[in-house]
Amino acid sequence: MERSSNLDVVFPQGADEDGRLEIIWASDLLKAHCIWSRGIKSSDGYLQSLQHLHLRSCPSLRFALPMALPSFPSLETLHIIHCGDLRHIFVPDTEFQSTSIEFPKLTTIHLHDLPSHQQICEAVEKVTPALEPLSLS
């Protein structure tokens, strides 16, 4: 999805998603406040095949995806830049009851120019990605 200036939500509540979506790429969505709205049931298999999440220049985005299950088993890449209002990438949905979330295949995180960003997952104490140790200089 690119350059949709009036779009508020890319996938509204009730969107028919069967768990086979592998890549979400959103760019230049000026008014979108989320990529997928809340209201997901954990039994839906929601985004179990998602491998890559790329978000660029979405200044009104508050969060990207709700969490229904305590794992994104296929997610490998988070690439998010120039999203000024983004506070959390993932937020708990109505059925989410865990205090941790796992990303067993996550190997790449690139976050840039996110002045409002607070954490990757809202209301989750432990994020357990399979990342190599970070070296900051």
Side-chain angles (χ1 to χ4, degrees), residues 28 34 40 46 65 71 73 77 82 90 92 100-101 106-107 110 123 127:
D28 299 306
C34 67
I40 304 300
Y46 159 74
L65 304 171
S71 176
T77 306
H82 308 302
F90 304 100
S100 68
I101 186 161
L106 186 64
T107 58
H110 179 87
V127 177

Side-chain angles (χ1 to χ4, degrees), residues 33-132:
H33 73 275
C34 67
I35 300 302
W36 204 292
S37 65
R38 293 179 182 191
I40 304 300
K41 291 184 172 33
S42 60
S43 59
D44 292 343
Y46 159 74
L47 296 177
Q48 295 300 296
S49 297
L50 182 66
Q51 296 172 14
H52 307 283
L53 177 61
H54 295 267
L55 306 174
R56 184 177 126 297
S57 299
C58 301
S60 299
L61 206 63
R62 297 288 174 101
F63 70 92
L65 304 171
M67 302 174 293
L69 296 172
S71 176
F72 278 84
S74 302
L75 189 63
E76 299 172 15
T77 306
L78 283 177
H79 187 98
I80 304 173
I81 61 172
H82 308 302
C83 297
D85 285 349
L86 186 72
R87 298 173 142 245
H88 308 282
I89 299 166
F90 304 100
V91 296
D93 205 15
T94 54
E95 292 188 10
F96 189 80
Q97 307 220 351
S98 182
T99 59
S100 68
I101 186 161
E102 295 188 11
F103 300 94
K105 293 186 178 180
L106 186 64
T107 58
T108 305
I109 297 176
H110 179 87
L111 305 175
H112 178 71
D113 192 20
L114 307 174
S116 299
H117 187 252
Q118 295 177 359
Q119 60 193 56
I120 291 178
C121 302
E122 179 185 38
V124 173
E125 296 171 14
K126 184 177 181 186
V127 177
T128 56
L131 293 170
E132 294 297 317

